[in-house]
Amino acid sequence: MSFNTISELFKNTVTKYPNRELYFYKKGNNWSSLNGKTILYTVTDISNALLGKGLQKSDKVGIISTNSPKWAMIDYGVICSGCATVSIYPTLIPSQISYIIKDSGLKVLFLENEDQLEKINQIWAECPSLELVVMMNDSFDGELDNVVKFSTFLDMGMEYGNKNPNSFSDASESISPDDLLTLIYTSGTTGTPKGVMLSHGNLASNIKATYRAQKFNDHEVFLSFLPLSHVFERMTGHFSAFGIGAKTYYAESIETLAENMKDAKPTILISVPRVYEKIHAKIVSGVERAPAIRRAIFNWSYKTGRKASLLKYNKNSLPFLLKVKYSIAKKLVFDKVKSTFGGDIKNLISGGAPLSKELGEFFYALNIVILE
């Protein structure tokens, strides 16, 4: 599908896949889902509510929350209204959040829960641009004129949309590639964080390059656990995944990642090297604690995989005997390692920091490719 802005990418997907379940999240002990049509309705209401509040193109709207379908839909709602999303790490302290609100001139802020609201209440008096807070948890019961819950905000959007039926399409279609998409404040740099301005064209070109490199099919499954407030997960696991109509599961937390992988069975896993290092360490320690016979089987399989991977990497065919050994090693060890990722993984993607050569070679020897 052709697109030059993220609003076009969004509308392409919900038009093509109205009945496909695209977002999955844990509700109690079960996974619930949202299809393209439901996502479109929600995004339209968010967008219309912002327009109804008088926000203009490139006005700033913030999100402070962990990953969830609501995070994703709020982002698209902000984007399709023509406003720009300011993604704020939920771990930041009040003074850091205050700096970002004032520096960006942020007008509306979506908050995950009361813990985040407590931070905002400490600094709101020094943030004159902030007009409205929207609580993402509908269990919130302390609504005020300037603090409303998510369902109330959606009702505002529905009312505005009924009175202005073309508002959503007019706003989303007026966006150009040069328009501001998002402000992302840097971390880990010296001095105060810098608000990096990224346009629709910046992200669209990155996504198109990803599609050329990765060759996704029509039935990919992603598991989102890296913070959406960072550009890596936002570009790959959020925009790129949605653009191909992939199913995206939202992990409950980093602690439940292994369990969530078994449920979601992702075909693509996006992570930073640190997570792959932890998985590597867990595999190695498990082998070291295993009985001698299992250690011997793993070590033999790994050596076989190393020999085969060098030939495969250089596009050479495997000799008959090595092919037989590799097939045995795959059944004894490699498929079991793959099952820790859910069993359907095609490859891993690494970014955000350099991946060590040794780590890449270790997983490649176990028949798992990490693309950097």
Side-chain angles (χ1 to χ4, degrees):
M1 290 186 285
S2 174
F3 64 93
N4 294 304
T5 65
I6 302 303
S7 50
E8 282 182 318
L9 176 148
F10 171 78
K11 291 175 83 172
N12 285 348
T13 296
V14 293
T15 301
K16 186 175 181 180
Y17 304 111
N19 299 313
R20 178 177 286 186
E21 305 300 317
L22 297 171
Y23 289 155
F24 293 79
Y25 61 101
K26 204 74 177 283
K27 195 173 182 181
N29 294 321
N30 301 310
W31 289 93
S32 295
S33 61
L34 299 171
N35 65 19
K37 194 185 299 181
T38 303
I39 293 166
L40 173 60
Y41 290 156
T42 305
V43 166
T44 300
D45 288 341
I46 294 166
S47 184
N48 279 331
L50 293 170
L51 295 168
K53 284 290 176 184
L55 271 70
Q56 304 292 319
K57 186 176 277 191
S58 298
D59 277 347
K60 313 305 184 299
V61 179
I63 308 174
I64 306 180
S65 171
T66 53
N67 295 12
S68 69
K70 278 186 183 174
W71 202 114
M73 292 188 290
I74 290 165
D75 192 27
Y76 283 124
V78 173
I79 288 165
C80 289
S81 73
C83 295
T85 306
V86 181
S87 55
I88 303 174
Y89 286 90
T91 53
L92 295 188
I93 60 174
S95 60
Q96 294 170 317
I97 296 169
S98 173
Y99 169 78
I100 291 172
I101 291 173
K102 289 186 284 189
D103 187 66
S104 65
L106 197 146
K107 292 189 173 182
V108 176
L109 183 57
F110 289 84
L111 300 178
E112 182 173 15
N113 52 34
E114 285 83 352
D115 290 343
Q116 299 297 345
L117 180 60
E118 192 176 322
K119 295 181 191 177
I120 299 307
N121 283 334
Q122 292 177 42
I123 58 171
W124 203 332
E126 62 194 56
C127 301
S129 67
L130 183 59
E131 300 169 3
L132 179 69
V133 160
V134 182
M135 299 300 294
M136 293 163 67
N137 59 328
D138 272 327
S139 59
F140 178 73
D141 61 1
E143 285 194 303
L144 302 165
D145 288 343
N146 57 359
V147 182
V148 300
K149 58 185 179 182
F150 192 66
S151 57
T152 303
F153 191 73
L154 294 183
D155 289 342
M156 292 176 185
M158 194 181 299
E159 187 178 337
Y160 183 81
N162 288 336
K163 293 176 182 174
N164 304 273
N166 298 320
S167 56
F168 178 74
S169 56
D170 288 349
S172 59
E173 289 166 16
S174 72
I175 297 165
S176 75
D178 290 333
D179 284 337
L180 183 66
L181 171 78
T182 189
L183 269 180
I184 299 178
Y185 281 78
T186 57
S187 59
T189 51
T190 55
T192 53
K194 314 298 188 294
V196 179
M197 301 170 70
L198 295 172
S199 70
H200 281 257
N202 289 148
L203 270 294
S205 66
N206 250 17
I207 294 160
K208 288 175 183 178
T210 300
Y211 290 165
R212 287 194 295 271
Q214 178 63 30
K215 308 299 181 195
F216 296 112
N217 66 35
D218 199 36
H219 298 284
E220 303 291 2
V221 180
F222 287 68
L223 179 64
S224 176
F225 65 93
L226 293 181
L228 279 165
S229 39
H230 191 283
V231 72
F232 179 42
E233 177 66 19
R234 186 116 163 266
M235 194 278 289
T236 52
H238 176 37
F239 294 142
S240 296
F242 196 78
I244 58 169
K247 294 179 177 179
T248 300
Y249 283 75
Y250 289 88
E252 297 167 272
S253 68
I254 195 72
E255 288 77 25
T256 62
L257 186 57
E259 182 186 331
N260 292 162
M261 274 196 282
K262 288 176 182 175
D263 290 341
K265 300 186 185 306
T267 58
I268 306 289
L269 190 71
I270 297 159
S271 187
V272 290
R274 184 72 191 116
V275 172
Y276 298 135
E277 287 165 7
K278 287 182 177 180
I279 294 169
H280 166 263
K282 192 172 180 181
I283 293 170
V284 171
S285 65
V287 171
E288 288 172 349
R289 293 195 310 270
I293 184 67
R294 285 178 59 191
R295 280 202 308 274
I297 289 170
F298 181 90
N299 291 332
W300 174 84
S301 298
Y302 179 70
K303 285 176 186 174
T304 301
R306 287 280 291 177
K307 288 177 188 174
S309 65
L310 285 169
L311 291 169
K312 286 198 298 177
Y313 183 79
N314 291 303
K315 295 183 170 55
N316 294 323
S317 57
L318 304 187
F320 176 74
L321 187 58
L322 182 57
K323 192 183 285 186
V324 171
K325 287 180 178 179
Y326 188 80
S327 179
I328 295 167
K330 187 173 178 295
K331 287 181 180 175
L332 291 175
V333 173
F334 304 160
D335 289 349
K336 288 183 174 65
V337 173
K338 205 171 220 180
S339 71
T340 63
F341 295 96
D344 292 340
I345 204 80
K346 294 196 301 188
N347 61 263
L348 312 177
I349 294 176
S350 179
L355 180 77
S356 73
K357 178 173 178 283
E358 293 75 20
L359 198 63
E361 289 176 347
F362 174 82
F363 280 102
Y364 195 39
L366 300 179
N367 197 35
I368 296 173
V369 178
I370 301 181
L371 300 176
E372 192 170 20

